[in-house]
Amino acid sequence: MLNRDDALTICDTVLEHARAAGAEDASVSIDNSVESHARFADNRITTSGQSEDLDITATVWVGKRRGAATINDSSAAALRQIASDAVQIARVSPVQREYVPTLGPLDYPADRGYAASTAEPDLNARAKALQGMLDACRTANVTGAGFHAATASATASATANGNRRYFRSSRADLSVTARTPDGTGSGYYSGDHFDLSRLDAQHIAREAVNKAVQSRNPQPLEPGNYPVILEPQAVADLIGFFTGAFDARTAEEGRSAFSAKDGKTRLGEAMFSERVNLYSDPMHAELPAIPATDEGVPATRLSLVKGGLIENLTYSRFWAQEKKREVTPGPTNFILESAQAPASMDEMIKGMKRGLLISRFWYVRLVDPRTLVLTGLTRDGLWWIENGQIKNPVRNLRFNQSVLAMLAPRNVEAIGASLRLAPYMVPPLRLSSFTFTSISDAI
Amino acid sequence: MASDFSRRDFLATGGAVVAGVFVPDWAAAFQPGTSDNARRTEVTDAALAHAAKIGASYADIRINRYRRESITTREQQVQNVSRSTSYGFGVRVLVNGAWGFAASNLVEPAAARTAAEQAVAIAKANAILAARKITLAHADRTVTTWTSAFKKDPFEVPLETKIAFLLKLNQTALVPGVSFVTSQILFADEQKYFASSEGSRITQRLIRTYPQFQTTATDRASGDFQTRPVVDRAKLMGYEYVEEYPWLADAEKAGHEVVEKLRAKPVSAGRYDIVVDPSQLFLAIHESVGHSTELDRALGYEANSAGTSFLKPTDAGTLRFGSNIVNIVGDRTQPGGLATTGYDDEGVKADRWHIVRDGIFVAWQTTRELAPQIGQTKSHGCLHCDSWASVPFPRMPNVSLQPAEKQVSLDDLFADIKRGLYVVGRGVSSIDQQRYNFQFGGGVIREIRDGKLGAMVKDAAYQSRTPDFWASCDGIGGPSLYQLWGTAADGKGEPGQTNHVSHGCPPARFRNITVLNTASA
């Protein structure tokens, strides 16, 4: 991948072309990525490949008219071409009313989420790890399907006003679905880390296999409201709809879940359980993120919900300027965690009189942006708990449930320790009530 | 991964800028010239020859260039105008019956040989995991050129014209009571080249046009708001689609509808007979028929991601899928269809075939790798990749419900409904991993009372189970009501890829369907 000097030299070259072509302000960004993956299914390899690419984007302003062009070619002619294209577009575009001058020089912390071993995975070591997983599946008489991926990227940006930044990041993902031969049991488990060497393939395979075996012959359950325990994966499957609602502009424009009556927002309200903390932190040891927002604002720790109270909504550079507020230094990742000492999964199960243990959700969609009602289905492991013990597997269910109500003060009974499932750190949750509306025949 | 792949040229010239150098405009720069074609041939020959030399029994290469232009607006402001180009190649090899793939944005003979080596190395390293050898169904050796039908190249239309279209659309949609309108138009130009070690050489060009917009009405006093999206009308067409379709009438209607929706009464949950308009039914077809009849899913290839299917590989030809008036075809030749093409991404000619005939599931969607696994010698041509950098894999063709043979009107479909709903436009969709249980919302839903269309309701969604839903279909509109809708965001696979696919249908009637009030959840 491109090093800092080479990446910023490309940016500077395009900036120079843009200036020569008449741009009054400009920002040039680069994304240089490498990707390597292997898929398997039916206990054998299916497809496997690798790719590399380099996207260069020039965004320019001429008299506050904006134009942008992207190309994946770093030849001298191409760099000249995109600067020229962007200026041509800007010249025929209307004035951008939301123009904010590009950033000037700023200090950024060093990135922490990059491992060279992830950028260049050893093919034979990967095949051996996958072989161990497939052996575990065959031994347990289940059929394994899964995905192993390692990606890395170098991103750089430079502006006409002197901002320069360069970050590297990497990510390794491994997931397995195990299915029993009679088609009545299915289990899924996954892990991810910025350092490929930190993925435990055998642990991931073992968890998926156990879930498949333990979920055989599920019994039907009448749809309705039930207490539930959501495993971290199930929380990760829902939480993106929640974290996406913190944008101040849509809340203040009256079209978000955090809009309130009479043009106000719900900032400062204790909408959620006092057990709930939500924040972003690019320096998080387990989930480091690039220490800048998408707009290039240096990112720091940012509390969104503390003890159930909404502490911050997020302001883009334009909306902060419009509302005379500070631009928000994030978010870059999302850490949902207990405000109190976390409960163990065993404690959560033992403390449940009757209810459901949910492994994950599938095909989750936002039904109502006013209340963050979501619909989706359970998948790959659902069990009935009675008097503190897992009793039997249950047929999958469709839910229609508001995330706001899910995290409401009296609905959160216990929160466990948070686990990395990028871009989140998410804990298991025990909830008093969760709404299911129909049975699914799917396994 | 090589560390210096992108440094070849700019480092040689450094950061020096030569003032006054002629820079061709964007449209001209994109046109392939003879030097481009010569380079492509060189790269192809280098990749395929090298792959064969180091052990590949089969190899193919896709050298693709994608050009996109996007304009986004809100109210009377242009938010963003951007253009992008992406050019590169991907080499796929079979070694000892296992696949390998490598791709690069450097379209050069040396990079092609390196990629062939990488692809072969991947296949060899994975040989210990290949429990069964891949075999491919026959494909004809084809040397040809194919271009999708369009009258006006959107990339030759001035930007000012396109911006003016969107701002006029927004202005028209902003009827009294509408608080916000956002709109976007995207144009895509794919220039694809396929070559295989079997001798096929296929050049294709596809032009697509994607307009969409959304109106929002807010009630600041109560904090309530509603939206009316108008999406999924993209087609394999040129700029004539912008000029010939009555977009402004749609915009004005969407404005009035969202204002009415803010005041609409909540739906009463219960059982209803429903008539589903093509603007929503296309999505029900996509999710419940399109995905369930993908053979790779039934064989378990997607078990870890998109899921499997409620259909088993042996079900083709025997299983009742719906009522006997239900006929559904897979069709990669349909004019305007987003998945329409001349040849698929392994050189198989576009096909049209029945998936459901008279209510019986009769045929799968297949590729060269999948067809032999159910004893077939020919692929239906469903291999696709969304980029030169992506591994091609089975993707959905246009899958469409056939209209009734005689003219059946909307009033005919409503006629004997005592308590029903008419569902128009895309709402929220969700379906399980075997494509049984689904829930769909609508953009605008109105009551049907005693055969007549009534008031709008809000917060409604319908739930059903695929075989029950299609079995309950007892009315299908006639040929004049047939419309083609489509989605540009059909996700599948790992790493995830996007497919563009259309579904044609007339409105159809379904009996005794469960309807929820989603606000009461």
Side-chain angles (χ1 to χ4, degrees), chain B residues 226-247:
Chain B
Q226 290 287 342
T227 63
R228 169 68 171 112
V230 177
V231 294
D232 303 318
R233 298 223 73 158
K235 286 194 175 173
L236 186 76
M237 289 179 76
Y239 198 75
E240 68 275 9
Y241 187 34
V242 174
E243 295 177 332
E244 293 170 5
Y245 183 83
W247 293 106

Side-chain angles (χ1 to χ4, degrees), chain B residues 274-399:
Chain B
I274 64 173
V275 174
V276 187
D277 185 75
S279 55
Q280 202 291 313
L281 186 58
F282 91 93
L283 197 58
I285 294 167
H286 175 86
E287 299 288 17
S288 68
V289 187
H291 281 306
S292 68
T293 59
E294 294 170 315
L295 181 55
D296 58 331
R297 294 179 64 116
L299 292 170
Y301 280 62
E302 289 289 330
N304 188 55
S305 176
T308 58
S309 173
F310 73 89
L311 298 168
K312 295 190 292 295
T314 52
D315 282 341
T318 58
L319 186 122
R320 177 155 288 281
F321 195 96
S323 65
N324 59 10
I325 61 170
V326 174
N327 285 281
I328 297 170
V329 298
D331 189 355
R332 299 202 71 182
T333 70
Q334 189 166 7
L338 292 170
T340 294
T341 187
Y343 296 82
D344 80 349
D345 281 335
E346 56 185 349
V348 174
K349 192 168 171 47
D351 197 5
R352 181 183 191 276
W353 70 104
H354 267 81
I355 291 175
V356 175
R357 188 191 296 276
D358 301 332
I360 304 294
F361 167 56
V362 292
W364 293 100
Q365 305 164 37
T366 57
T367 64
R368 292 185 68 188
E369 177 181 344
L370 296 177
Q373 296 183 51
I374 52 169
Q376 294 185 355
T377 56
K378 182 176 166 292
S379 161
H380 283 303
C382 295
L383 199 80
H384 176 75
C385 53
D386 67 357
S387 158
W388 52 265
S390 302
V391 177
F393 77 121
R395 297 311 304 260
M396 196 186 297
N398 306 304
V399 173

Side-chain angles (χ1 to χ4, degrees), chain B residues 37 40 144-147 192-194 201-205:
Chain B
N37 291 342
R40 209 166 58 185
T144 192
T145 295
W146 185 90
T147 302
K192 299 167 42 161
Y193 176 74
F194 170 81
R201 300 287 186 273
I202 300 170
T203 304
Q204 301 191 86
R205 184 175 182 210

Side-chain angles (χ1 to χ4, degrees), chain A residues 1-2 6 9-10 13 16-17 20 32-35 37-39 41-54 66-76 79-81 84-85 88-89 92-94 96-98 119-120 123-124 126-128 130-131 134 138 145-147 175-177 179 188 249 252-257 260-263 360 362-363 365-370 373 375-380 396 398 400-401 435 437-443, chain B residues 1-3 5-11 13-18 21 23-26 29 74 76-88 98-105 118 121-122 125-126 128-132 134 159-160 163 167 180 182 216 218 220-226 287 299-308 369 373 388-389 391-393 428-439 458-459 463 465 493-495 516 518-519 521:
Chain A
M1 291 194 304
L2 289 173
D6 290 349
T9 301
I10 294 177
T13 305
E16 189 71 13
H17 287 306
N32 179 195
S33 61
V34 295
E35 180 273 343
H37 74 268
R39 291 188 92 184
D42 193 22
N43 285 346
R44 62 184 175 85
I45 191 83
T46 51
T47 52
S48 185
Q50 64 181 50
S51 65
E52 53 192 67
D53 201 4
L54 170 65
R66 180 186 186 278
T70 300
I71 201 162
N72 70 332
D73 179 354
S74 62
S75 66
L79 300 189
R80 201 160 46 235
Q81 184 74 48
S84 166
D85 290 344
Q88 282 183 36
I89 293 168
V92 297
S93 295
Q96 187 196 10
R97 291 189 211 162
E98 299 185 5
E120 296 186 45
L123 298 181
N124 291 316
R126 180 180 69 190
K128 205 172 165 191
L130 296 184
Q131 189 178 29
L134 294 182
R138 289 191 196 100
F147 180 56
S175 57
V176 182
T177 298
R179 294 175 62 80
Y188 171 88
R249 182 175 187 175
E252 290 170 2
E253 286 180 340
R255 47 175 168 162
S256 117
K261 288 180 182 177
D262 302 322
R360 69 181 294 212
W362 165 250
Y363 218 133
R365 291 293 183 270
L366 178 62
V367 173
D368 191 338
R370 299 169 301 177
V373 167
T375 190
L377 301 112
T378 62
R379 178 176 173 181
D380 300 319
N396 283 312
R398 172 174 293 286
N400 275 261
Q401 170 68 45
T435 305
T437 52
S438 58
I439 294 179
S440 160
D441 295 319
I443 301 291
Chain B
M1 205 61 73
S3 61
F5 63 86
S6 52
R7 302 167 61 183
R8 73 198 198 283
D9 215 328
F10 85 93
L11 288 181
T13 56
V17 174
V18 183
V21 170
V23 178
D25 80 7
W26 187 63
R74 59 175 288 170
Q76 285 304 292
Q77 300 177 49
V78 176
Q79 297 288 90
N80 188 19
V81 180
S82 61
R83 289 169 170 170
S84 68
T85 61
S86 181
Y87 185 43
W99 288 119
F101 176 89
S104 171
N105 65 323
Q118 291 168 333
I122 288 169
N126 289 339
I128 56 169
L129 308 170
R132 186 170 56 72
I134 308 287
L159 262 179
E160 299 94 313
I163 290 169
L167 295 181
F180 305 103
T182 56
T216 301
T218 60
R220 303 306 297 267
S222 71
D224 194 9
F225 62 95
Q226 290 287 342
E287 299 288 17
L299 292 170
Y301 280 62
E302 289 289 330
N304 188 55
S305 176
T308 58
E369 177 181 344
Q373 296 183 51
W388 52 265
V391 177
F393 77 121
V428 173
S429 68
S430 170
I431 188 164
D432 70 39
Q433 73 276 12
Q434 289 190 313
R435 305 282 147 173
Y436 272 121
N437 175 307
F438 61 71
Q439 176 174 320
K458 65 179 179 183
D459 304 327
Q463 272 187 9
R465 183 178 172 273
E494 293 177 302
L516 305 181
T518 56

